[in-house]
Amino acid sequence: MPPLTSTHTKLLEWIKPLVDEKQFNNTANALQHFFERNGDAEKLQEKLYQLKNNTEGSWLTPFWEDKYLKYRGSLPTGMHFNILVDRPRLKKAPTTAELAGKVSFSVAEYYHKIIDGEVKPVTIKGVPLDMGQYKKFFRSVRIPKVNRDQFRVASFDKRNNFVIIIYKNHMYQVNVTNENGEIYQSKMITEAIENIFQTEQQEGMNVGLFTTAERDEAAQIYNDLKISKVNADNLQAIADSLIVISIDEDSDNSQEAIENLMLNSQSKYYDKTIQLVITKKGRIGYSIEHTAVDGTTIFAVISYVNEGFAEETEEIIYTDEKPTSTKLDWEVSEEIEQSLRKLAEKSKQRKNEYHVKTATFEEFGADKIKRMRLSPDAFFHMALQIAQYRTFGTLKSVYEPVSIRHFKEGRTECARATSMEKWALVQALENKDHHDNELYALMRTASDAHSNRIHDCRTGFGVERHMFGLEQVYLQYGENLGVKELPAIFKDEGYKTLREDFLSTSGMAYDNVKSRIFGPVVQGGFGIAYILLDHSISINISCRTAEKEQAAKLKQHIIDALKELKQIAGK
């Protein structure tokens, strides 16, 4: 963990562009009091060191798990991230059953490679990253409980594995390995799935709707379902399945597909860690429950599945046996059925409450930005700061996750992307009294500052997780440590302004991804997922419907700012 002096200095830097001078002085005083010698921060930090020294993994892990599992809202819009990939480039378009069969085979094969230790560690500049999340991809589930959910992952076992297919709201257990742990051929799995499609013609009761409820309500329905042994066995089967594969019959194009990943609750089970969705038009999407895995790791699964579709890839034959499938029938009381009907109405309302818009900027991408001697990620965030100022008339806090998998059990740190260096660029552009060479110099300064902040976060010298840890230590141990009241900094308006995820962003660079989306984090805020490819930039914005017009303005301002910055750089 970083020293207190590092966090103190950075907090002042990070908060300054977000508040007026009066509030900044108030915040600076609260920080000075918190970090003073023999003050509250030192007492809390000492306890953090004790926790660190007595923990095999990361001191942050138990606090982080609580943060996720104590979330009480609806998972689809509050805890999931969604990824839509490009169609496999094949000579002959596969059927939905063929896609599902091939996906099932690839997932089983990748699970076996994880068990056998055959997945090579990911490295950055020769430094291996933590691979602990890989063990939680498959056969894992979030179980709703009152006050705090439970995350469960089954022990490694190659034998008798299966996927759950959800089609027309009916659930089927389709075996992908036999009792010896041998993987069935994808064509055999395809036949079993095709048989389901041929025989199941009517819509079933959408039991999976309970996973869209707010978590305490979901826990109540889950417990009511479990009273029946039939239902309890079904819920256990879903938990033990490798993944859930949902068949989306409603999406006609990629825009609808990405929206429906988050907002359409037909044939879904959102408590599963990996829910893979296949549309009737042959698109594949992923709806990922965030408790145990991050975007930086889940792409290992997406990559392996994509590679399985490559024409030149010859499938290994492990067995000639044919798999079986079993339908999960449910025993649903009138009370549960009534709850599901209410949730169906809420699901329709939720779809109307949210707005999702995707756009692809194709004039240039990361290649050209690098030739400008600028960081592509910093370039996007410069454009975003310009855009948010032109949309809202101010700069607000921008959340940007940074992978910290260099550390054991490392997840993410947060690099707030709003900075004084970007604010200087925004002011210069708006004043229109600077030459392009002066503006380019400001761009270079802002880019370097952005990259330095990312580097600090990646190497363990961030701010937010450290402060989060200090606050959690107070909540759990404060009285015993002589910290009688919550330190004033945690109630300070400047600090709270920094922590508000008005613009919650997540960036990546992955060629096979068409679009990504996750819900806005705060009321009135926006979720912005961006994809920086060599020759294009994908911009994906989510918000409440009330902010729909602002989202359209923000998107256009981002595009305009990207062009403007390129023109300044003269490349």
Side-chain angles (χ1 to χ4, degrees):
M1 74 188 69
L4 294 175
T5 51
S6 170
T7 298
H8 185 184
T9 301
K10 287 186 174 68
L11 275 170
L12 287 169
E13 293 173 1
W14 293 22
I15 291 170
K16 192 170 185 180
L18 302 173
V19 296
D20 60 25
E21 186 176 352
K22 181 181 178 182
Q23 180 57 62
F24 180 73
N25 289 334
N26 291 339
T27 301
N29 289 334
L31 283 168
Q32 186 63 41
H33 181 68
F34 180 60
F35 286 107
E36 68 186 1
R37 186 169 179 77
N38 300 318
D40 290 344
E42 285 193 4
K43 295 172 187 175
L44 299 174
Q45 178 90 333
E46 185 177 349
K47 182 63 179 179
L48 259 189
Y49 275 124
Q50 289 178 16
L51 294 174
K52 176 185 176 183
N53 293 333
N54 294 324
T55 303
E56 184 179 340
S58 169
W59 59 266
L60 183 59
T61 297
F63 297 143
W64 199 242
E65 288 178 349
D66 265 1
K67 178 182 171 71
Y68 278 104
L69 295 174
K70 286 182 177 178
Y71 174 77
R72 297 291 86 194
S74 174
L75 292 188
T77 53
M79 198 55 65
H80 272 234
F81 60 93
N82 306 279
I83 300 161
L84 186 71
V85 299
D86 284 323
R87 286 193 187 92
R89 293 187 179 92
L90 302 172
K91 293 173 185 173
K92 176 179 173 291
T95 66
T96 304
E98 287 171 336
L99 285 172
K102 190 64 179 177
V103 162
S104 301
F105 176 88
S106 295
V107 162
E109 199 170 53
Y110 198 58
Y111 179 58
H112 286 199
K113 288 183 181 296
I114 293 171
I115 292 174
D116 293 336
E118 294 178 2
V119 178
K120 293 180 181 178
V122 177
T123 62
I124 294 181
K125 296 182 179 178
V127 179
L129 305 186
D130 181 80
M131 305 285 282
Q133 292 181 40
Y134 285 53
K135 298 176 181 178
K136 300 173 183 178
F137 287 154
F138 307 116
R139 304 188 73 208
S140 58
V141 73
R142 179 172 175 150
I143 299 172
K145 302 282 186 181
V146 175
N147 298 326
R148 184 187 189 275
D149 290 353
Q150 174 187 353
F151 179 79
R152 178 187 175 279
V153 57
S155 56
F156 280 159
D157 195 340
K158 295 181 179 181
R159 298 168 298 173
N160 299 315
N161 279 317
F162 54 88
V163 298
I164 297 293
I165 302 287
I166 312 183
Y167 176 64
K168 295 186 183 296
N169 293 322
H170 299 283
M171 299 187 189
Y172 284 83
Q173 176 179 318
V174 179
N175 291 345
V176 295
T177 66
N178 63 18
E179 60 187 9
N180 299 317
E182 297 165 322
I183 306 172
Y184 298 118
Q185 296 174 54
S186 64
K187 67 179 181 181
M188 301 294 189
I189 301 172
T190 296
E191 287 179 12
I193 295 171
E194 184 60 47
N195 187 53
I196 293 169
F197 294 167
Q198 294 298 323
T199 57
E200 197 66 81
Q201 300 299 319
Q202 301 298 318
E203 293 283 334
M205 183 177 296
N206 192 0
V207 177
L209 266 171
F210 84 87
T211 65
T212 69
E214 294 188 355
R215 298 311 287 171
D216 287 348
E217 182 183 0
Q220 182 61 58
I221 299 172
Y222 180 88
N223 291 334
D224 290 346
L225 282 167
K226 279 190 73 176
I227 293 170
S228 158
K229 185 180 184 306
V230 170
N231 295 343
D233 289 344
N234 290 347
L235 292 168
Q236 188 63 52
I238 296 168
D240 289 340
S241 65
L242 290 172
I243 63 170
V244 161
I245 299 177
S246 162
I247 308 303
D248 169 11
E249 295 190 288
D250 295 324
S251 300
D252 288 317
N253 53 56
S254 60
Q255 177 66 37
E256 290 181 1
I258 192 67
E259 289 176 11
N260 286 333
L261 277 171
M262 184 171 81
L263 299 174
N264 188 324
S265 302
Q266 290 292 102
S267 298
K268 301 281 175 56
Y269 196 91
Y270 286 101
D271 285 9
K272 195 67 178 167
T273 301
I274 298 179
Q275 179 170 228
L276 189 144
V277 180
I278 302 174
T279 75
K280 61 184 178 182
K281 299 291 187 179
R283 288 205 174 274
I284 296 175
Y286 295 79
S287 185
I288 308 299
E289 203 282 301
H290 212 337
T291 297
V293 299
D294 300 314
T296 56
T297 52
I298 206 66
F299 283 104
V301 178
I302 296 174
S303 295
Y304 196 84
V305 169
N306 282 348
E307 288 165 8
F309 286 112
E311 298 273 13
E312 63 273 13
T313 302
E314 191 169 330
E315 187 174 293
I316 298 172
I317 297 176
Y318 298 96
T319 177
D320 290 323
E321 294 178 30
K322 289 189 175 184
T324 58
S325 66
T326 307
K327 187 175 183 178
L328 306 187
D329 290 314
W330 299 86
E331 294 179 350
V332 178
S333 66
E334 177 58 36
E335 185 179 2
I336 294 173
E337 192 171 343
Q338 188 175 354
S339 295
L340 293 176
R341 281 198 294 268
K342 289 180 181 177
L343 286 172
E345 287 304 311
K346 280 187 180 179
S347 183
K348 289 178 184 176
Q349 291 171 12
R350 187 182 297 116
K351 190 160 187 179
N352 292 328
E353 287 172 2
Y354 285 86
H355 172 70
V356 173
K357 190 64 181 174
T358 68
T360 303
F361 177 78
E362 296 183 316
E363 290 194 22
F364 60 90
D367 274 0
K368 190 156 284 189
I369 295 169
K370 289 174 186 175
R371 290 202 292 273
M372 301 175 202
R373 294 191 295 159
L374 298 166
S375 153
D377 189 68
F379 191 92
F380 179 83
H381 276 280
M382 283 187 267
L384 180 59
Q385 294 293 357
I386 296 163
Q388 76 150 318
Y389 184 79
R390 290 172 179 172
T391 305
F392 309 110
T394 187
L395 296 190
K396 296 192 178 185
S397 196
V398 177
Y399 177 95
E400 181 179 10
V402 178
S403 173
I404 51 172
R405 287 173 57 208
H406 288 100
F407 300 97
K408 187 171 183 181
E409 296 183 350
R411 295 288 299 267
T412 61
E413 177 57 275
C414 168
R416 294 290 168 179
T418 307
S419 67
M420 289 303 294
E421 293 82 3
K422 295 194 189 79
W423 176 222
L425 174 64
V426 171
Q427 288 178 300
L429 282 169
E430 295 307 290
N431 290 339
K432 301 183 186 303
D433 57 359
H434 289 67
H435 297 297
D436 280 358
N437 59 343
E438 295 174 306
L439 293 171
Y440 177 64
L442 289 172
M443 288 171 62
R444 287 288 304 276
T445 300
S447 177
D448 290 345
H450 182 95
S451 297
N452 289 338
R453 187 174 292 189
I454 296 288
H455 178 266
D456 284 348
C457 289
R458 185 173 288 130
T459 53
F461 289 89
V463 165
E464 292 217 14
R465 305 310 183 228
H466 188 199
M467 289 295 288
F468 172 69
L470 294 173
E471 184 178 17
Q472 292 303 306
V473 166
Y474 161 76
L475 293 172
Q476 295 188 28
Y477 307 101
E479 192 151 338
N480 294 333
L481 299 172
V483 185
K484 302 297 184 183
E485 295 182 8
L486 179 67
I489 186 59
F490 296 111
K491 297 176 280 187
D492 175 79
E493 287 303 315
Y495 179 71
K496 289 196 285 187
T497 298
L498 175 73
R499 294 292 309 280
E500 184 185 39
D501 302 329
F502 178 71
L503 298 181
S504 182
T505 75
S506 179
M508 53 150 291
Y510 188 77
D511 285 336
N512 290 92
V513 173
K514 175 73 175 175
S515 49
R516 301 172 64 213
I517 207 68
F518 49 86
V521 176
V522 300
Q523 193 73 31
F526 301 80
I528 302 175
Y530 57 100
I531 306 166
L532 295 165
L533 300 180
D534 288 346
H535 306 293
S536 65
I537 302 172
S538 174
I539 304 165
N540 310 271
I541 302 179
S542 74
C543 62
R544 298 270 183 172
T545 304
E547 283 76 49
K548 179 179 177 179
E549 290 185 11
Q550 286 183 318
K553 290 178 182 177
L554 181 63
K555 183 203 76 174
Q556 190 57 51
H557 284 319
I558 292 172
I559 291 171
D560 292 343
L562 290 170
K563 296 176 183 177
E564 191 174 345
L565 291 173
K566 175 182 173 291
Q567 188 173 3
I568 290 167
K571 302 289 182 180

